Amino acid sequence: MKPIITASELVSELAGARPPVLLDVRWELGGPPGRPAYEAGHLPGAVYVDLDAELAGPAGAGGRHPLPDVSAFGATMRRAGVSADTPVVVYDGGLGWSAARAWWLLRWTGHQDVRVLDGGLAVWPGELSQEVPRPEPGDFVPVPGALGLLDADGAAALAGAGLLLDARAAERYRGDVEPIDPVGGHIPGAVSAPTTENVDREGRFLPAEALAARFSALGATADKEVAVYCGSGVSGAHEVLALELAGIPAALYAGSWSEWSRDPARPVAKGPDPE
């Protein structure tokens, strides 16, 4: 199943016999919480899910956004009305990062029918609602392992044996600046592949053919294992989604640079070259 859905397709499906569960996952790095924006107006029927509190565990040695406790994540999804056999559509304010994080978590834990609204709330053609829904609880029980997941050692190994993509901005990859984490630079062997180059000016994903060409130029081939990391495992999920659109399966190093850079024993590379 294609991992994204257009606004027009969503309008049609919401009017159909099996309307999807809608999850509003608005969040902005360093910005205000998404809940006030949700309360000011959201897609009718959408349930708000908090990235920091419900799509991540407490920040610490495992990074700024470590994976949430699986049982707690399952409870969040059931509260939102998610069942094993119900389609789910997630959206955010338009950047796509936090929606992709929810998409990745649902897919990783075994949900088969989840898509991201391409372009986010900005492309929605209809009216917004301020009504907070109270859906019937769903029955989704997460079973981790359906998508690839790496720890720090696995990311280090893949950087040498396969293709490890760094989804952060190029200046953070090079180590020119590091506004968030303790150390600037990148995992030795990783290739710079900023998430922002996966989308057009409106924040919509590029066509699959263009994405395939992009990742091929970065070294992704059919016989090569591919993985992604970013700052804290949020924008990296967006790149995993872009790779899926391109027909390339990829694992996620969820701890990402925020975990790697906290360990002084981990090597750090700087500059434009992988090593």
Side-chain angles (χ1 to χ4, degrees), residues 158 160-164 215-216 218-227 243 246-250:
L158 190 76
L163 177 65
L164 180 63
F215 292 122
S216 176
L218 291 170
T221 59
D223 60 347
K224 186 174 288 188
E225 192 175 355
V226 179
L243 282 155
I248 303 167

Side-chain angles (χ1 to χ4, degrees), residues 5 10 13 20-24 43 87-91 113-117:
I5 184 172
L10 180 56
E13 291 195 15
V21 171
L22 298 177
L23 304 181
D24 184 311
L43 267 61
V88 180
V89 171
V90 293
Y91 71 90
D113 190 351
V114 54
R115 290 161 291 169
V116 168
L117 175 59

